[in-house]
Amino acid sequence: MNNGIKSSQIDFYYISSNFSDILLKLSEKLLVSNNKTLVLIDKLKDLNDIDRLLWVKEKNSFLPHKLISEKIYEKDKIVLSQNLEIPDYLEKKFDTLIISPEKSIKSFKLFKRFLVFCYKGSYQNFDSYKIKLGSLGFTVNGFEEFNTFKWKSL
């Protein structure tokens, strides 16, 4: 799905809300899009908690998703993983990478959009990230949560 995209977009989100709650709300929007999303989560316990949350948060509904260890089909839009190691058959199948707070990656490759979440107080280097990544051809945006699920641009 990353068909000759020249420039990837990196959005930094500095949050005060619980990441799981933000992901739950974001997942509802992701399911109606045509994009496939990989969610990279730092700790195994958090991965299991988020997995369970997406299945049972709402009483009368659920948000379909898979763990990367399961068989992934073309119709699966949201996949959760603790590792960035993507099985060969899935490489280049995802459009978006969501990176949970406290998780890091070494490079921005394979995806056309990155959503990087950090807890507030850790964005003192945003301007330098924006300059450095911008010089490499990325479109970089920053958003700060000023109220629950309300954002302002940096």
Side-chain angles (χ1 to χ4, degrees):
M1 294 197 177
N2 197 348
N3 303 340
I5 301 296
K6 292 180 186 171
S7 174
S8 294
Q9 180 175 328
I10 305 170
D11 295 331
F12 289 90
Y13 289 87
Y14 300 99
I15 63 175
S16 52
S17 295
N18 184 302
F19 175 71
S20 299
D21 295 334
I22 291 172
L23 184 61
L24 184 70
K25 195 164 186 68
L26 181 59
S27 293
E28 294 169 356
K29 293 179 182 180
L30 292 170
L31 287 173
V32 297
S33 75
N34 286 328
N35 293 329
K36 289 185 171 282
T37 302
L38 178 64
V39 181
L40 191 57
I41 300 166
D42 188 39
K43 298 177 180 96
L44 183 58
K45 181 190 179 316
D46 294 340
L47 176 75
N48 291 331
D49 289 347
I50 289 172
D51 178 35
R52 189 170 31 266
L53 178 73
L54 293 176
W55 285 121
V56 299
K57 177 67 175 176
E58 299 296 326
K59 217 174 206 176
N60 297 323
S61 67
F62 62 91
L63 294 169
H65 63 283
K66 292 273 182 88
L67 297 176
I68 195 118
S69 58
E70 300 173 312
K71 176 71 174 156
I72 309 299
Y73 296 97
E74 193 64 33
K75 65 181 171 141
D76 295 321
K77 293 187 177 184
I78 300 173
V79 177
L80 307 177
S81 179
Q82 187 185 6
N83 300 312
L84 191 55
E85 295 171 13
I86 302 170
D88 291 341
Y89 81 98
L90 290 177
E91 199 167 287
K92 298 181 181 169
K93 295 281 185 182
F94 295 101
D95 301 291
T96 303
L97 176 65
I98 296 176
I99 305 167
S100 70
E102 300 163 4
K103 188 69 176 176
S104 62
I105 60 172
K106 294 181 183 185
S107 67
F108 292 99
K109 294 180 181 174
L110 295 179
F111 301 89
K112 64 182 180 182
R113 186 161 186 212
F114 298 84
L115 306 178
V116 181
F117 287 87
C118 308
Y119 286 109
K120 278 189 179 180
S122 59
Y123 67 90
Q124 60 273 15
N125 293 324
F126 173 70
D127 290 334
S128 63
Y129 294 151
K130 185 172 184 172
I131 291 167
K132 182 176 181 181
L133 293 168
S135 73
L136 296 172
F138 293 100
T139 301
V140 181
N141 301 301
F143 304 94
E144 181 179 6
E145 186 179 21
F146 67 90
N147 228 336
T148 305
F149 306 130
K150 304 289 184 200
W151 307 94
K152 69 176 180 179
S153 292
L154 296 175

